[in-house]
Amino acid sequence: MAVKTGRLASVVLGLSTVAATLLWLDTQAERPSAPMAGLTVVKNAPVSKQPDFDAYSDVRAKKAAFFDFLRPMVDAENRKIAEQRAFIQRAQERLLLDRPLSDAETAHLSNLASNYGVEIRAFTPETLADLLVRVDEVPSAMVLVQAANETGWGSSRFAKEGLNYFGQWCFRKGCGLVPNQRQGGMNHEVARFDSVQDSVASYLRNLNTNPAYRELRDIRQKLRLAGKTPTAEDLIPGLIRYSERKEAYVDELLSMLNQNQSFLL
């Protein structure tokens, strides 16, 4: 049966009105109310997704997954350090040629010195050499093996709940997770991080600035001056003060390094 044009237009218009009304109601129902004036909107902290390493029944598959997960973050942080080191070396070369540094270069060097805990009153080739002792990469194989040791291949409570892959401590109440086996009189906690990458960055900064790892930095610098690239095997002995187990801890890391070479290539 034919429908007259005017009637058809009325039907279409009616349906359009209903659809528009439903759409308006739908959007209003889903739209959250605006925050009240004067209230601070707090963003959620970033969360770093990590694999469920306990779900792996095959040991080799678990090890491969652990290293594959962590390696890109280690490489990314080492690249940042390498860029900082290259900048300092370029500035050092300019000073050796009696070329003045720009205000921007001086400001950047001041920030780097502050971040790495080095007090420099005047930038000279010698003072920049002191800074270069700290601003240097850490072999990824060493980082990966130590993370595997500290977390039980990603299975520890501190890795799962705190995204802490290196057992780093903090000393402000509520800054992290309280160890179940913490001895009486101790007030440390195991630090909690917003992301695994933050944990990696903090660990590298710890090795590059903490007085406890001066020996590691000295070994690395001597190898650099000899024109050699420091390896994990070279630097692991410099971790002797990382654990109360001292020599036993270093021997365990060296053993893990040797046993897992096929995963570290």
Side-chain angles (χ1 to χ4, degrees), residues 94 158 190 203 224 242:
R94 286 174 62 88
F158 303 125
V190 178
Y203 160 81
R224 291 289 191 194
Y242 202 96

Side-chain angles (χ1 to χ4, degrees), residues 43-63:
K43 295 183 179 179
N44 291 329
V47 177
S48 182
K49 294 182 179 179
Q50 50 187 333
D52 180 7
F53 295 111
D54 288 337
Y56 287 88
S57 57
D58 182 82
V59 174
R60 291 185 61 83
K62 180 176 182 177
K63 289 183 176 183

Side-chain angles (χ1 to χ4, degrees), residues 17 94 115 135 172 184 221 241:
T17 303
R94 286 174 62 88
N115 290 338
V135 185
R172 177 176 49 81
Q221 179 66 359
R241 296 180 65 186

